[in-house]
Amino acid sequence: MPLHLGPFVRWRSGLVLTWICLFSSGFTFTGGEHAATVTHPLPAAFSDLLPHFLVEPDDVYIVKNKPVTLTCRSTPATQIYFKCNGEWVHQDQHLIDRDVDPATGLPVMQVKIDISRQQVEKIFGLEDYWCQCVAWSTTGTQKSQKAYVRIAYLRKNFEEEPLGKEVALDQEVLLRCHPPEGVPPAEVEWQRNEELIDPKTDPNFFITVDHNLIIKQARLADTGNYTCVAKNIVARRKSSSATVIVYVNGGWSTWATWSACSAVCGRGWQKRSRSCTNPTPLNGGTSCEGQSVQKSACTATCPVDGGWSEWSKWSPCGADCTMWRSRECTQPSPSTGGKECQGLDLQSLNCTSEQCPQTASGAEDVALYVGIVAVALCLTLLLIVLVLVYRRKKEGLDADVADSSILTTGFQPMGIKPTKPGVWAPRRAARSKNSHLLTIQPDLTTTTTSYQGTLRSRREVTGKFSVSNGPLLEPLPNGSHTLHNGKLPSDPNDFMNRLSSQTYFKTLPRDNVNTSYGTFNFLGGRLTLPNTGISLLIPPEAIPRGKIYEIYLTIQKKEDMRLPLAGCQTLLSPVVSCGPPGVMLTRPVILSMDHCSDACLENWAIRLKKQSYEGTWEDVLQLGEEVVSEPYYCQLEAETCRVFTEQLGRFALVGESLSMAAAKRLKLLLFAPAYCSTLEYNIRVYCMDDTQDLLKEVMQMERQLGGRLIDEPHILLFKDSYHNLRLSIHDMPQAHWRSKLLAGYQEIPFYHIWSGSQRTLHCTFTLERQSLSTCDLTCTLCVWQVEGEGQSFTLDFNISKDIRPLDSDFLLMDNCTPALAGPSAFQIPYLIRQKICSSLDTPCPNGADWRLLAQRLKLDR
């Protein structure tokens, strides 16, 4: 029968036995907050045992909105109920499971309840939500441990994030990290470049109890981006990356041995060097302080050439009618590389004495004399035949020349005054015996002159030369040629194919862009490579009469030509080929090309190198030490050198610095994309030799890359001081732009520039704008040599609406004709040149001759 136990909810210790008796009698109790039904009374043998817990509830966390389950298991127990935060959980929320322990036969009871997020959130204040279970038996009750139920979370923001650092090699590094607040507390791990750091496998790392990372000794491999990672059962958070740069300060290597003395004889200099490679500066580390090269004066022992002693006395006349005398190379003896004596050390002489028997001339002497006379007659006849053949060939070329005005291209040697106002007339010249030369006027109405004759043998009388504006020396069906004052034939491939089939054109490159070619005879002409500053002038009569040469002019790529440079030597000019090599010239041709030296000859030893047929490079000339008998001469101007040579081939100008004041001219060019649709914007800075051929190459390459010139070129004097070239960018608006360069500057090694073998050296600065709407860019870009000269570019423009008239085409304005043959190739007509030369060649009393002209032009060396 039912019995209401409302008054007994809060029981006393004296009423416990009454409760147990009532439960053991099998009654049913109901209460206002809970009820219990006793259906399985304990056996009498276990009625005196208190319940003990096999499973007690543990602390749990609610993740998001998922409920958690608390479990309680006890034996022997008749009833188990959960109590949460001091209140009983309703019977309907309990999930009860009864069982019997097979080993002991005791009843086992298990109860589970679910706790939701809403139940926990109803508890306000500082007290946590907790639950515990209470188990009953016939003897008494037992309470389990409290299980706390908490809502799990992890905040987004770190309380302290790691900061980037630049540290020296072997220095200790501390990266701090305070993870976000969370329940349960977050676990912390570290990553380097997105890879987990495990202190167990790499003991150089140590993670402290407060989650900071310590790098005990910084290594180069430790350079990277470090990230603090916090995680718990709810989420995983990453801090912003901290960039750690481990830099290495440069250190000097040991001094190298002293070089050989630069002078073969007398005073010179020698040097020794060291490099900043012990260690090499890395990741922005400081360069070595001090000089990398030491120079010292030295004295070389001069070579002593040998000299002959006096002749000894003649020996007595021998039986063979000969007497002898000798001398020795002992005054002085050759030493330290001196030359041996030239000539004979033993001399003989026929003699007649009583000891020499006299012999009469016989038949043998007669036969000898007859043979000598016969040989002399044959040589005389052969010489006469050769002279006749030569004169006939010469007459075959010149017999039909009817008008010498072909050499003047319309300039008439007559003193005619202008008939119309405004027509050019020379100024009144000073009185001299050659003043009549200045009265020659150009006939501007004459454009065509005929040359009656052929450039072949006399039997080809049907061919003529017609001088007009048309193709140059095109082959005719009958074998003769037509000479024109005009441009090259329009089909270069035909010329290249014909040249490649000949053996002496094996070195001719098939690069039509950097090659000019033409057909020339004794009238001469000019070959030019447009926009490179390279040309070949062929004076009249340089090619022998009766000869026709197909001549080419080209630039060799420096990376394809490895010049043997040693010590302080550097390449000052492009490598230029003209040919075919081995052709016969009767006077020098003039090869003009740019150079990049500062033209201070006291600081340089400049040599002209020529490649031999075997492929080796030889010094054929040193400026300032020319010999008249040699077939080469070089005239050095501020930016151009003129090479006078009687032999065609491959040439280059090489300089060796005599002091650290020697400098090369570098041209600095700034390029950027003409159109930019991304956040990144690249500025390319070229540092190259100041020659037109390199400028043309860079312009063509940037045109293909879609780049444009963003500022005027600057010239920088780069000295032989063994110091590197540095480039940096400054004064950018930090709110709109940032540089992605990790170090403070970029650096180009000294030897990369001084060798001249790398044609298009450049550095790239990658800038990043904050948004695509940012288009205005202002900054300063500096280029300087360490302990040397520098240049700076001040940029202020809109990258999307740049309308400044700075286009690469304005630097390439040379539209000259690649090939000109005949008189039109020369600025002064042939006849006027001839008369000017004749007037200057004759010495004048007042010095107004070629010597004074050379002195005024500073060409008198």
Side-chain angles (χ1 to χ4, degrees):
M1 64 183 188
L3 178 63
H4 296 282
L5 299 178
F8 301 99
V9 171
R10 298 182 180 88
W11 61 83
R12 295 287 193 272
S13 59
L15 300 177
V16 172
L17 294 175
T18 305
W19 276 86
I20 295 174
C21 293
L22 292 175
F23 278 110
S24 62
S25 300
F27 291 98
T28 301
F29 301 91
T30 62
E33 295 182 5
H34 65 275
T37 301
V38 180
T39 57
H40 299 279
L42 292 174
F46 306 107
S47 60
D48 58 344
L49 296 177
L50 287 175
H52 70 275
F53 291 97
L54 302 176
V55 176
E56 294 184 81
D58 294 324
D59 295 343
V60 291
Y61 296 93
I62 297 177
V63 178
K64 296 182 180 179
N65 293 319
K66 296 179 180 180
V68 295
T69 301
L70 298 179
T71 303
C72 190
R73 185 179 178 89
S74 177
T75 183
T78 58
Q79 291 294 331
I80 299 176
Y81 287 97
F82 275 92
K83 193 175 187 179
C84 295
N85 282 75
E87 296 182 1
W88 293 101
V89 179
H90 197 275
Q91 181 181 2
D92 297 339
Q93 297 178 12
H94 290 73
L95 181 62
I96 302 174
D97 184 19
R98 298 179 185 275
D99 198 0
V100 175
D101 189 350
T104 61
L106 291 175
V108 178
M109 188 174 183
Q110 178 176 290
V111 177
K112 295 182 179 180
I113 62 171
D114 290 336
I115 307 297
S116 67
R117 185 185 184 102
Q118 290 77 11
Q119 291 176 261
V120 177
E121 289 177 342
K122 288 180 182 179
I123 302 300
F124 296 98
L126 300 177
E127 184 179 5
D128 289 333
Y129 190 93
W130 58 269
C131 293
Q132 69 177 163
C133 60
V134 180
W136 282 270
S137 71
T138 57
T139 305
T141 63
Q142 289 286 356
K143 295 180 182 180
S144 71
Q145 65 181 8
K146 288 184 179 181
Y148 290 91
V149 181
R150 298 181 179 90
I151 299 175
Y153 67 92
L154 184 63
R155 305 287 185 198
K156 290 186 177 180
N157 297 326
F158 280 73
E159 296 185 11
E160 184 178 8
E161 292 188 306
L163 300 177
K165 295 183 178 181
E166 293 184 1
V167 295
L169 191 68
D170 296 330
Q171 181 180 340
E172 183 180 274
V173 185
L174 173 62
L175 297 178
R176 297 183 179 276
C177 177
H178 195 168
E181 177 188 353
V183 173
E187 298 178 357
V188 174
E189 63 185 18
W190 285 84
Q191 293 181 348
R192 180 184 63 191
N193 298 332
E194 304 297 331
E195 293 183 359
L196 181 65
I197 295 176
D198 187 2
K200 295 181 180 179
T201 59
D202 191 347
N204 195 43
F205 293 103
F206 177 72
I207 300 177
T208 63
V209 292
D210 50 355
H211 312 303
N212 297 329
L213 177 66
I214 295 178
I215 305 176
K216 299 177 183 179
Q217 287 185 326
R219 304 161 296 188
L220 286 177
D222 294 331
T223 299
N225 297 320
Y226 287 79
T227 308
C228 180
V229 181
K231 62 180 180 178
N232 64 5
I233 60 176
V234 179
R236 175 186 175 96
R237 312 289 188 204
K238 280 188 176 183
S239 69
S240 58
S241 295
T243 302
V244 175
I245 298 176
V246 181
Y247 61 84
V248 179
N249 294 326
W252 288 115
S253 65
T254 57
W255 287 103
T257 58
W258 288 100
S259 64
C261 193
S262 61
V264 179
C265 173
R267 286 185 60 82
W269 56 269
Q270 58 183 168
K271 66 179 182 179
R272 65 175 183 174
S273 62
R274 58 180 179 175
S275 59
C276 189
T277 56
N278 189 27
T280 303
L282 293 174
N283 298 336
T286 59
S287 297
C288 302
E289 298 292 336
Q291 297 293 331
S292 61
V293 177
Q294 284 185 346
K295 291 191 176 181
S296 175
C298 59
T299 303
T301 305
C302 297
V304 178
D305 296 337
W308 290 114
S309 63
E310 296 292 332
W311 286 103
S312 64
K313 294 182 180 180
W314 288 103
S315 66
C317 188
D320 55 352
C321 299
T322 303
M323 55 183 181
W324 303 85
R325 67 174 181 176
S326 63
R327 58 180 178 176
E328 296 180 349
C329 187
T330 57
Q331 293 186 358
S333 300
S335 62
T336 63
K339 297 180 180 179
E340 295 287 342
C341 300
Q342 303 294 322
L344 300 175
D345 59 349
L346 191 64
Q347 194 176 45
S348 63
L349 183 67
N350 291 334
C351 60
T352 302
S353 66
E354 297 177 354
Q355 299 178 357
C356 179
Q358 300 292 328
T359 57
S361 299
E364 294 180 357
D365 295 335
V366 175
L368 176 63
Y369 295 146
V370 171
I372 293 174
V373 172
V375 171
L377 289 176
C378 292
L379 292 176
T380 303
L381 291 175
L382 180 60
L383 180 62
I384 293 172
V385 171
L386 292 176
V387 170
L388 291 176
V389 171
Y390 173 76
R391 294 185 61 183
R392 176 167 297 181
K393 286 186 177 181
K394 187 175 181 181
E395 290 173 359
L397 179 64
D398 300 337
D400 295 333
V401 178
D403 187 0
S404 64
S405 63
I406 185 174
L407 301 177
T408 64
T409 315
F411 281 73
Q412 304 299 326
M414 297 180 294
I416 304 175
K417 297 181 179 180
T419 57
K420 297 180 181 180
V423 178
W424 174 87
R427 296 180 179 178
R428 187 181 302 274
R431 291 179 178 270
S432 69
K433 65 179 183 178
N434 296 318
S435 61
H436 64 281
L437 295 177
L438 301 178
T439 62
I440 301 175
Q441 304 293 329
D443 184 2
L444 302 179
T445 63
T446 304
T447 60
T448 305
T449 307
S450 295
Y451 170 47
Q452 306 296 330
T454 65
L455 293 182
R456 299 300 184 188
S457 61
R458 173 178 287 272
R459 63 178 177 270
E460 298 176 357
V461 296
T462 58
K464 298 180 181 296
F465 279 104
S466 174
V467 182
S468 62
N469 294 323
L472 174 64
L473 291 180
E474 295 178 349
L476 298 179
N478 58 3
S480 62
H481 288 74
T482 304
L483 177 66
H484 306 280
N485 290 329
K487 300 181 179 179
L488 200 67
S490 59
D491 185 11
N493 293 324
D494 177 65
F495 180 82
M496 301 294 285
N497 293 333
R498 285 190 290 118
L499 293 186
S500 62
S501 63
Q502 304 181 34
T503 57
Y504 51 78
F505 281 93
K506 294 298 184 183
T507 59
L508 177 61
R510 293 182 174 270
D511 185 3
N512 294 339
V513 178
N514 295 319
T515 304
S516 293
Y517 40 83
T519 308
F520 302 94
N521 64 353
F522 71 95
L523 298 176
R526 182 191 302 268
L527 280 177
T528 304
L529 296 177
N531 303 315
T532 63
I534 300 173
S535 64
L536 180 68
L537 181 68
I538 306 170
E541 304 294 340
I543 298 176
R545 289 177 177 263
K547 299 287 187 179
I548 297 178
Y549 294 154
E550 288 181 310
I551 296 180
Y552 68 86
L553 177 67
T554 185
I555 304 177
Q556 301 288 342
K557 298 292 185 181
K558 292 181 183 177
E559 53 267 22
D560 299 334
M561 303 300 300
R562 297 298 181 187
L563 271 74
L565 301 179
C568 301
Q569 289 184 342
T570 179
L571 190 61
L572 297 178
S573 73
V575 181
V576 180
S577 295
C578 55
V583 299
M584 184 180 66
L585 299 174
T586 58
R587 62 177 59 183
V589 296
I590 298 96
L591 176 64
S592 301
M593 54 186 176
D594 288 353
H595 69 87
C596 61
S597 74
D598 58 359
C600 296
L601 292 181
E602 60 270 15
N603 299 328
W604 289 95
I606 299 180
R607 295 177 175 86
L608 179 67
K609 285 184 175 287
K610 182 177 183 292
Q611 192 176 28
S612 65
Y613 291 103
E614 292 79 14
T616 59
W617 287 89
E618 302 172 349
D619 293 341
V620 296
L621 175 69
Q622 180 170 344
L623 264 68
E625 299 181 4
E626 298 89 346
V627 180
V628 179
S629 59
E630 293 182 353
Y632 305 99
Y633 178 80
C634 185
Q635 173 184 319
L636 193 70
E637 301 173 2
E639 298 179 357
T640 308
C641 66
R642 320 264 183 200
V643 178
F644 295 69
T645 174
E646 297 177 7
Q647 299 176 3
L648 302 182
R650 185 168 293 157
F651 297 93
L653 206 64
V654 173
E656 181 178 5
S657 61
L658 301 179
S659 68
M660 292 187 180
K664 292 177 63 174
R665 294 192 324 274
L666 297 184
K667 178 159 287 187
L668 309 177
L669 300 174
L670 266 63
F671 285 90
Y675 304 99
C676 181
S677 58
T678 62
L679 294 178
E680 287 189 353
Y681 188 73
N682 295 323
I683 297 179
R684 292 180 290 276
V685 185
Y686 288 85
C687 308
M688 61 186 190
D689 294 347
D690 183 20
T691 56
Q692 294 185 52
D693 66 301
L694 280 181
L695 178 62
K696 176 183 178 182
E697 183 176 340
V698 171
M699 290 296 184
Q700 292 174 346
M701 182 172 61
E702 279 294 331
R703 189 173 295 145
Q704 295 176 357
L705 295 176
R708 73 181 305 271
L709 199 66
I710 61 174
D711 204 350
E712 295 182 359
H714 287 34
I715 299 298
L716 175 69
L717 291 179
F718 188 77
K719 293 186 178 181
D720 181 20
S721 62
Y722 290 87
H723 288 299
N724 299 339
L725 191 70
R726 289 183 178 175
L727 303 93
S728 61
I729 191 165
H730 311 276
D731 304 335
M732 284 190 305
Q734 299 296 328
H736 304 289
W737 292 87
R738 75 178 185 92
S739 173
K740 302 187 74 173
L741 182 66
L742 295 179
Y745 55 84
Q746 299 190 63
E747 200 166 59
I748 301 179
F750 168 82
Y751 289 101
H752 289 185
I753 299 176
W754 194 256
S755 65
S757 60
Q758 301 188 30
R759 295 174 63 85
T760 54
L761 278 174
H762 71 279
C763 287
T764 300
F765 288 92
T766 301
L767 311 181
E768 186 177 33
R769 47 182 173 168
Q770 300 300 327
S771 66
L772 292 176
S773 59
T774 302
C775 295
D776 293 324
L777 174 61
T778 59
C779 62
T780 301
L781 201 148
C782 300
V783 183
W784 76 99
Q785 187 180 16
V786 180
E787 299 185 10
E789 184 178 325
Q791 291 283 1
S792 63
F793 298 83
T794 301
L795 303 179
D796 186 2
F797 66 101
N798 188 298
I799 65 175
S800 62
K801 299 178 181 179
D802 191 6
I803 57 175
R804 294 175 301 166
L806 285 176
D807 192 77
S808 58
D809 292 335
F810 87 98
L811 295 173
L812 303 174
M813 298 298 293
D814 187 4
N815 295 320
C816 61
T817 304
L820 287 174
S824 63
F826 306 98
Q827 297 179 358
I828 304 176
Y830 178 75
L831 189 59
I832 296 179
R833 289 204 311 273
Q834 208 172 31
K835 291 190 176 182
I836 291 175
C837 292
S838 62
S839 64
L840 293 176
D841 285 345
T842 305
C844 296
N846 57 356
D849 52 19
W850 66 271
R851 297 175 181 82
L852 179 60
L853 177 63
Q855 183 180 359
R856 296 288 178 85
L857 296 176
K858 297 182 180 180
L859 301 175
D860 52 345
R861 72 180 177 86

